[in-house]
Amino acid sequence: MKQPEAKARIDKLKKEIEEHNHNYYVLNKPVISDFEYDLLLNELDTLEKKFPEFVTEDSPTRKVGSDMTREFRQYEHRYPMLSLGNTYSEEDLREFDTRIEKVSTAPFEYVCELKFDGASISITFRNGGLFRALTRGDGTKGDDVTLNVKTIKKIPVRITVENVPDEFVMRGEILMPRAVFDNINEDRIHNDLAPFANPRNAAAGTLKLLDPKIVASRGLDCNFYFLLADDLPHETHYENMMEASSWGFNVPKSIRLCRDIEEVIAFINHWESERKALPFDIDGVVIKVNSLTLQEELGYTAKSPRWAIAYKYKAEQALTKLLSVSFQIGRTGNVTPVANLEPVFLAGSTVKRATLHNENQIALLGLHINDMVYVEKGGEIIPKIVGVDHSLRNEGSREIKFITNCPECGTPLIKNEGEANHFCPNYLHCPPQLKGRIEHFISRKAMNIDGLGEETVDLLFNRNLIRNYADLYELEAEQLAPLERLGEKSAANIIKSIKSSLTVPYNRVLFALGIRHVGETVAKTISSRFISIDELMKADLESLTGVNEIGPKIASSIMAFFADSDNITIIQRLKDSGLRFSEETEKGPETDRLEGKTIVISGVFQKHSRDEFKELIEKHGGKNSASISGSTSFILAGDNMGPSKKEKAEQLGVAIMNENDFLELIGEE
Ligand code: IVH
C-alpha cells in the first residue's frame, strides 16, 4: 500500500471505529460484533505501525472508547482505567508469554480470571465507606454513578473488617444475570419497548439511569477483579484479591493461579464449554502476571498494561445469504425490517430470519439484497446480522429500499424526528395494530383473559366478530360455539374468562388500553395520581407532567389517546360492560373530616412524604387529585410549589393551605 492510500484507509478506519465506540459505549447499541470491531482496530493498528507518520494522539488505538454522557458529573480516576490488549489465538498467547519470560529474571506465575461481559466500575472507599463510584469514561475521568451503584446488593457500602487501607479502589464488572435479563426483556417486549440487545447493554444502560430506584429493581450483580491503593496489603495480585474477598467483596471463585502458559491454556479450554452454565455472560479470559514487581517492570502502552492480556472467545457466527427483507408492523404501528435468510445452522438451531431493527441499522451495515452476511446469536432472543462480507458482493446485489407505505394497510409511514423507527399512523384500521391491541389487552399482565389466545383472537378477528377490545365483552357463547376448533365447551370458557376479567383493578385496565408509552409501571403511577379515568381524560399537559416519571412524551401520548373520539366511544362501552375505571380505596375512610373535599398536593413537605399525605387525605374521607380545577377544594402546599400551579390556583381562586394547618384540620397534629 502506498502512502496516500494508507492515509485514506487510516482516516476511514478511525471514523468508523469512533462511530462504533459511540454505538457501544454511549448508546449501548453495538451494530457489529466484538470480533469485527477487533478486526477493524487491528487493521488500523497494523497500518499505523507501517506508517507511523499518520499516527495521531486521538487515534482509537491510543485511547479507550468513552462511555461518558452529559447527565452525570465527571471525576478524575486516581489511577487511570486502561483497556486490555486482546487476542483470539493461542499463538498470540504464547508470544505474550515469551515476551514476559524475556523480561523476568525468575520463574513467575499468572492469574487467570473470567472476562466478565458487563460494564466496568471503579469504586473508591474512604475510611471504610463507599465514597464514589465512577464508570470507565475515557479512562482518565468517568461518570459519577455512586447513587446507582449503592443500590446493588452485592457491593458493600461499608467495610466492617479492621485494618483496611484508609483509601483504596476496587474495580470490577457490573453484570446483569441472564435470567434477570430474560425477564426484563420479556416485560419490555410486552410493553412495546425496544428490548435490550444483550445483558451487557442492559447492565451498562441500567447503570446510567437517572433514577436509582429503577436501578435497584433491575437485579444487577458485581464481580470484582482489581484492587488498587498506594499501599497494597500484598505483593501479588492473587493475594490482594483474596484479601479483598475477606473484606466482603465478591471475588468470583473461578479465579485461578497458574504456574505456566500450559495451565493458562487449560483454564481457557475448560471455560470455553463451561461458560454456558454460568448465570452471566463472559466473553473470554483475562490473564494477568501475578507479581506486582514484575507488573511494574513490564509497564504499560498508551492504552493497556503489558502484564495482562484478554483471550476472547469467538461468538458463534454463520455466513449466509440475505434473500429479502420483509417489514413487520407491531401493535403500536412500529415498523421492523426483518431479514429473510438462506437457512443456516447456528449454535443448535436453524436460522432463517434475523432482525434488522430499523433503517439506520441497514445503512450502518451497508447492506444489500443478495449480500453474504454474518449472523450471530448472542444473549439475544432473535438472531441478528452483525456484518457483511463486502468482498463477496455479487452482481445480483441491489440496495434495500425502505418502504414508504404500510404493507398491511397502505397508509404512508411516518418517522418522527429523533426517533429511529418508522410507524404506521393508521391506528384505527391497520389490521395488525387492531389485532395487536386486542392481544395486548387480553395478556397476562393486562386483563389476563386466559381463555383467549393469539390464535382465537385471529379467528374472531377474521370472522369479523371483534374489531376492538370493547367487542370482547359483547360476545356471546352462541356466536363462538359454531366456529372451527371451538365448540360449546371452549365457547363457554372463553365467555367465562372474559367476564371474570371485570374484577381486574383500574391500573391494569389502564395498562391494557395500550396507550403508546404507557407500560405497566407508568399505568400504576398514573392510576394512583388520577384516581379515575374521568380525571385522567380531563388532565392537561401540565398536570400530567407534574407527576414524577411522566415526561412530555408520555403526557402527549395520553392526551392524543383521549382526544380521539373513537377511543372515547370504546371506553364508554367498556364502562357500560362493567370494567373498573377508578381506584377502589381498599379501606373506607376513618373519619369524615375531609368528606366531599378534593385536594391537590404540591411542593415538598417537612413532616410527611407526599404519599403519606395522600393516605391521610383518604383516611379522612377526602379525595386527592393531581390537577387543579374549579372543583379543587384547596391545595395542600409545601415548599417550592410550582409557579404554574400557583398561578392557576390564583386564577381559579383556590385556597392554599400549609402542612401544619392541614394536620390541625384533620386532628393529626
Ligand atoms: S483487568 C489494567 N479483569 O475488560 C487491567 N478486566 O478491556 C484492567 N473485564 O474494561 C482490566 N473482566 O471492564 C480485568 N477479570 C477481569 C475482567 C476485566 C472483565 C473488562 C474490564 C475492562 C475490559 C478490558
Side-chain angles (χ1 to χ4, degrees):
M1 200 184 277
K2 297 251 169 56
Q3 253 196 345
E5 207 185 319
K7 167 97 174 51
R9 182 68 191 150
I10 286 179
D11 287 346
K12 179 147 194 277
L13 281 167
K14 276 197 214 163
K15 231 178 114 206
E16 238 174 79
I17 294 170
E18 288 295 352
E19 203 168 322
H20 289 308
N21 277 345
H22 185 74
N23 288 333
Y24 187 92
Y25 288 111
V26 178
L27 305 179
N28 291 312
K29 274 192 189 144
V31 302
I32 56 170
S33 68
D34 282 10
F35 183 63
E36 264 145 330
Y37 176 85
D38 292 333
L39 284 182
L40 294 176
L41 203 61
N42 252 332
E43 187 186 343
L44 180 61
D45 195 40
T46 315
L47 277 175
E48 285 182 342
K49 282 198 177 110
K50 254 191 174 155
F51 299 93
E53 60 274 32
F54 299 136
V55 178
T56 56
E57 264 311 298
D58 67 347
S59 166
T61 54
R62 319 198 102 222
K63 54 172 203 176
V64 304
S66 173
D67 66 40
M68 284 183 296
T69 47
R70 249 175 292 159
E71 281 93 353
F72 291 90
R73 256 189 96 152
Q74 273 127 31
Y75 290 96
E76 297 243 333
H77 290 294
R78 166 118 195 221
Y79 312 95
M81 249 176 129
L82 298 172
S83 179
L84 278 177
N86 67 51
T87 177
Y88 292 83
S89 89
E90 201 181 298
E91 199 187 321
D92 284 358
L93 271 190
R94 291 186 188 278
E95 273 174 29
F96 167 77
D97 183 47
T98 317
R99 282 199 300 275
I100 295 167
E101 245 173 9
K102 278 190 190 142
V103 175
S104 177
T105 46
F108 60 90
E109 294 163 325
Y110 290 114
V111 178
C112 282
E113 291 164 11
L114 301 181
K115 187 169 189 313
F116 311 106
D117 200 8
S120 44
I121 193 76
S122 181
I123 314 178
T124 304
F125 287 81
R126 267 192 199 163
N127 305 320
L130 191 161
F131 171 66
R132 185 178 286 154
L134 299 177
T135 65
R136 180 159 83 158
D138 62 4
T140 313
K141 45 188 186 333
D143 278 352
D144 178 357
V145 289
T146 310
L147 292 176
N148 287 347
V149 162
K150 281 188 172 169
T151 69
I152 301 173
K153 291 198 191 77
K154 277 277 183 66
I155 300 179
V157 285
R158 181 135 285 286
I159 312 299
T160 46
V161 182
E162 306 227 330
N163 294 332
V164 298
D166 289 344
E167 177 159 338
F168 63 92
V169 173
M170 272 312 286
R171 290 205 177 140
E173 200 83 351
I174 306 242
L175 302 164
M176 183 175 283
R178 258 194 307 269
V180 175
F181 168 80
D182 289 343
N183 256 330
I184 290 180
N185 258 1
E186 196 185 307
D187 276 3
R188 287 182 73 88
I189 290 170
H190 189 82
N191 290 337
D192 211 41
L193 295 167
F196 289 114
N198 53 46
R200 191 214 82 89
N201 295 339
T206 302
L207 200 55
K208 294 272 178 115
L209 288 174
L210 296 177
D211 184 352
K213 278 206 292 296
I214 307 181
V215 180
S217 72
R218 287 266 178 96
L220 293 177
D221 201 343
C222 186
N223 287 348
F224 288 97
Y225 51 67
F226 208 179
L227 170 63
L228 293 131
D230 289 352
D231 227 344
L232 281 166
H234 302 281
E235 241 310 289
T236 64
H237 174 64
Y238 188 80
E239 285 171 293
N240 282 330
M241 292 319 292
M242 293 304 116
E243 185 80 34
S245 170
S246 76
W247 297 344
F249 290 98
N250 179 39
V251 176
K253 298 255 179 314
S254 47
I255 185 170
R256 187 78 65 241
L257 203 54
C258 294
R259 271 167 305 176
D260 55 32
I261 199 72
E262 301 310 327
E263 286 190 12
V264 167
I265 289 165
F267 182 91
I268 290 173
N269 292 339
H270 171 77
W271 284 105
E272 167 121 53
S273 52
E274 282 308 297
R275 68 182 170 136
K276 297 191 180 84
L278 287 168
F280 43 75
D281 285 348
I282 63 166
D283 58 348
V285 165
V286 181
I287 301 115
K288 301 174 182 173
V289 164
N290 193 24
S291 150
L292 301 193
T293 322
L294 183 53
Q295 283 188 6
E296 217 168 291
E297 268 174 65
L298 286 159
Y300 297 82
T301 69
K303 198 176 149 180
S304 49
R306 289 203 180 85
W307 47 262
I309 191 166
Y311 178 92
K312 296 229 265 184
Y313 297 122
K314 256 189 238 175
E316 274 185 85
Q317 287 190 345
L319 189 66
T320 186
K321 193 177 197 170
L322 172 67
L323 300 174
S324 63
V325 174
S326 351
F327 295 87
Q328 282 180 352
I329 308 294
R331 158 170 82 82
T332 53
N334 259 337
V335 182
T336 311
V338 177
N340 300 307
L341 307 165
E342 212 160 72
V344 63
F345 195 75
L346 172 65
S349 66
T350 303
V351 175
K352 294 186 203 130
R353 285 149 71 78
T355 174
L356 283 167
H357 302 294
N358 53 47
E359 193 179 24
N360 268 352
Q361 174 85 355
I362 296 176
L364 270 170
L365 288 165
L367 193 61
H368 283 193
I369 303 280
N370 277 331
D371 270 350
M372 294 304 288
V373 296
Y374 289 101
V375 271
E376 199 174 276
K377 273 202 235 168
E380 302 87 294
I381 309 164
I382 314 159
K384 60 176 182 182
I385 295 184
V386 292
V388 180
D389 192 333
H390 289 284
S391 71
L392 296 179
R393 179 161 286 172
N394 53 32
E395 279 174 18
S397 103
R398 61 204 141 80
E399 238 176 89
I400 295 166
K401 287 223 170 59
F402 208 90
I403 46 170
T404 52
N405 290 64
C406 175
E408 303 277 348
C409 70
T411 307
L413 299 178
I414 291 183
K415 189 173 165 219
N416 285 334
E417 182 133 355
E419 286 183 21
N421 284 85
H422 288 74
F423 74 95
C424 166
N426 186 12
Y427 172 84
L428 285 171
H429 304 288
C430 182
Q433 296 192 54
L434 290 174
K435 266 192 277 188
R437 274 203 294 282
I438 300 173
E439 277 157 15
H440 166 74
F441 184 85
I442 64 173
S443 65
R444 191 169 47 88
K445 291 190 171 168
M447 301 305 283
N448 193 20
I449 304 181
D450 55 5
L452 272 176
E454 232 170 83
E455 270 176 38
T456 318
V457 168
D458 236 34
L459 179 71
L460 301 182
F461 190 87
N462 295 339
R463 293 302 174 91
N464 256 327
L465 287 170
I466 49 173
R467 272 288 165 277
N468 59 55
Y469 35 66
D471 296 337
L472 291 172
Y473 294 90
E474 287 157 25
L475 284 173
E476 282 171 24
E478 295 73 47
Q479 295 173 288
L480 306 181
L483 300 180
E484 73 239 44
R485 285 188 289 110
L486 288 184
E488 266 173 39
K489 197 156 170 236
S490 328
N493 275 339
I494 290 174
I495 300 296
K496 197 170 140 219
S497 80
I498 292 175
K499 287 273 170 316
S500 56
S501 74
L502 292 176
T503 56
V504 166
Y506 169 50
N507 71 73
R508 276 173 48 199
V509 175
L510 211 49
F511 170 56
L513 295 179
I515 305 171
R516 225 170 169 229
H517 307 307
V518 177
E520 237 186 312
T521 322
V522 172
K524 263 193 200 141
T525 311
I526 297 175
S527 70
S528 64
R529 297 305 303 274
F530 300 89
I531 53 166
S532 72
I533 194 126
D534 298 318
E535 277 223 26
L536 182 61
M537 284 186 200
K538 278 187 280 176
D540 57 9
L541 192 70
E542 193 195 326
S543 54
L544 283 166
T545 49
V547 179
N548 229 346
E549 289 164 53
I550 299 190
K553 189 167 99 177
I554 301 177
S556 27
S557 162
I558 295 172
M559 286 167 62
F561 184 87
F562 291 119
D564 191 318
S565 62
D566 290 274
N567 285 333
I568 301 292
T569 314
I570 289 176
I571 287 171
Q572 190 52 51
R573 284 174 59 205
L574 290 173
K575 272 186 183 171
D576 295 343
S577 301
L579 271 76
R580 292 199 178 172
F581 278 107
S582 63
E583 195 78 275
E584 315 258 313
T585 30
E586 285 182 3
K587 293 177 279 176
E590 289 174 21
T591 78
D592 56 6
R593 286 197 169 102
L594 299 175
E595 198 182 33
K597 299 252 187 306
T598 303
I599 302 158
V600 172
I601 305 176
S602 179
V604 185
F605 299 91
Q606 309 293 331
K607 299 200 166 151
H608 293 281
S609 70
R610 291 167 71 118
D611 280 343
E612 285 166 358
F613 274 120
K614 209 185 127 207
E615 272 171 32
L616 284 172
I617 290 171
E618 278 158 9
K619 179 174 163 194
H620 293 284
K623 256 173 61 180
N624 169 235
S625 158
S627 55
I628 303 172
S629 69
S631 55
T632 306
S633 314
F634 62 86
I635 298 169
L636 170 56
D639 297 334
N640 300 328
M641 174 178 170
S644 51
K645 270 208 174 128
K646 216 173 212 162
E647 203 184 302
K648 188 146 187 200
E650 268 161 17
Q651 254 173 26
L652 295 171
V654 178
I656 297 182
M657 193 182 289
N658 68 27
E659 61 182 319
N660 291 330
D661 292 349
F662 175 76
L663 291 169
E664 200 171 308
L665 171 74
I666 57 174
E668 295 268 348
E669 188 63 300

